[in-house]
Amino acid sequence: MENMQNLLKARISNIKKEDYYKKANLHIHSNVSDGKEDFDTLIEQALNIGLEHFSISDHNTIKGYKTSKYINNPGLIPAVEFDCFYLTSLIHILGYGIDINHPEIENLCAKKESETKYDIIRLFHSRHPKKAIEAIHNAGGIAVFAHPCCSSVISLNYLVKKLKSFGLDGIEVYYPYARHRGIIKFHSRKKPYKLAKKYNLILTGGTDEHGSLLK
């Protein structure tokens, strides 16, 4: 399992800054959670536009992967985005390369569809990040802190340090901060890169697309 995690870390680490978002997009949502497009339609779109590395990371669910006909596509990295709450802030932990049939992932996933689609309901059903990171690791995946600049904490450094102590593997550095994330933003976009280097975290990225990839 550790070897698979190291291979995935190496794969993502080898994605260059200029590859985001033309060749790589590791943060996409389907209508299985709060996106608009069908799960397999997004995969077809990803392939049509030439993405070499991509992940559909629906909120608190891996349901789309259970029925996808593209589950074995080499470009697809299975993923999930867990809503967590810690240090007065709602934070999101992305799990990449997970075993979608692992019981700890299934137990941590939402039990109701509303817990995947609506912000306020997801807030009231949020998890502790330590538990999410442990489940991701036990399922053979790596854990990444999503859109960190939106975390409403005084010290982003302290938050990342604590997440690192829980086993955090990476931080989302290449992220456009569009839509409401561009408005509700508490930290400089330069900060995540500096913290990634400080705490030896891998750098990831994605558009957090909730619609079509064909734009």
Side-chain angles (χ1 to χ4, degrees), residues 144-159:
V144 172
F145 182 15
H147 38 69
C149 294
C150 295
S151 303
S152 57
V153 292
I154 295 174
S155 173
L156 189 59
N157 175 74
Y158 182 74
L159 173 58

Side-chain angles (χ1 to χ4, degrees), residues 5-211:
Q5 290 168 320
N6 289 335
L7 287 173
L8 181 56
K9 287 181 182 179
R11 175 180 175 178
I12 294 177
S13 295
N14 285 330
I15 301 174
K16 300 176 182 178
K17 178 182 178 180
E18 55 267 28
D19 292 335
Y20 292 102
Y21 310 105
K22 293 183 179 180
K23 294 182 180 179
N25 190 340
L26 304 182
H27 197 156
I28 303 166
H29 292 277
S30 79
N31 61 5
V32 173
S33 64
D34 59 346
K36 296 179 180 179
E37 291 282 359
D38 173 76
F39 192 94
D40 276 358
T41 297
L42 283 171
I43 295 177
E44 291 166 359
Q45 291 177 355
L47 296 173
N48 286 337
I49 63 176
L51 290 181
E52 298 173 4
H53 315 274
F54 54 94
S55 292
I56 298 179
S57 49
D58 283 316
H59 286 282
N60 313 313
T61 180
I62 37 81
K63 183 179 177 181
Y65 289 98
K66 298 284 190 176
T67 58
S68 175
K69 61 184 178 182
Y70 297 107
I71 187 62
N72 294 317
N73 186 280
L76 179 64
I77 300 173
V80 64
E81 184 174 16
F82 285 123
D83 290 78
C84 302
F85 194 85
Y86 186 64
L87 296 178
T88 73
S89 180
L90 179 66
I91 61 175
H92 292 173
I93 299 294
L94 292 155
Y96 292 114
I98 52 171
D99 174 0
I100 60 170
N101 296 308
H102 196 281
E104 288 192 45
I105 293 296
E106 292 182 335
N107 288 339
L108 209 58
C109 282
K111 303 302 182 287
K112 298 179 180 178
E113 187 177 285
S114 60
E115 295 169 29
T116 72
K117 292 184 178 292
Y118 306 111
D119 288 351
I120 189 65
I121 296 177
R122 298 204 314 261
L123 172 63
F124 285 105
H125 290 85
S126 56
R127 301 132 187 86
H128 193 289
K130 186 174 188 293
K131 187 173 182 180
I133 291 169
E134 288 176 349
I136 290 165
H137 285 168
N138 291 340
I142 62 174
V144 172
F145 182 15
H147 38 69
C149 294
C150 295
S151 303
S152 57
V153 292
I154 295 174
S155 173
L156 189 59
N157 175 74
Y158 182 74
L159 173 58
V160 173
K161 182 179 180 180
K162 293 296 292 184
L163 293 176
K164 174 71 175 181
S165 74
F166 298 154
L168 188 73
D169 301 291
I171 189 166
E172 194 171 51
V173 171
Y174 309 118
Y175 183 86
Y177 290 98
R179 303 166 40 248
H180 66 285
R181 300 247 179 246
I183 301 171
I184 307 172
K185 189 155 57 69
F186 300 93
H187 306 279
S188 165
R189 294 182 61 168
K190 297 179 181 179
K191 192 72 172 179
Y193 178 82
K194 294 178 180 178
L195 292 175
K197 295 301 181 182
K198 180 177 181 178
Y199 293 108
N200 193 29
L201 298 168
I202 63 171
L203 283 60
T204 75
T207 60
D208 203 357
E209 181 58 62
H210 283 68

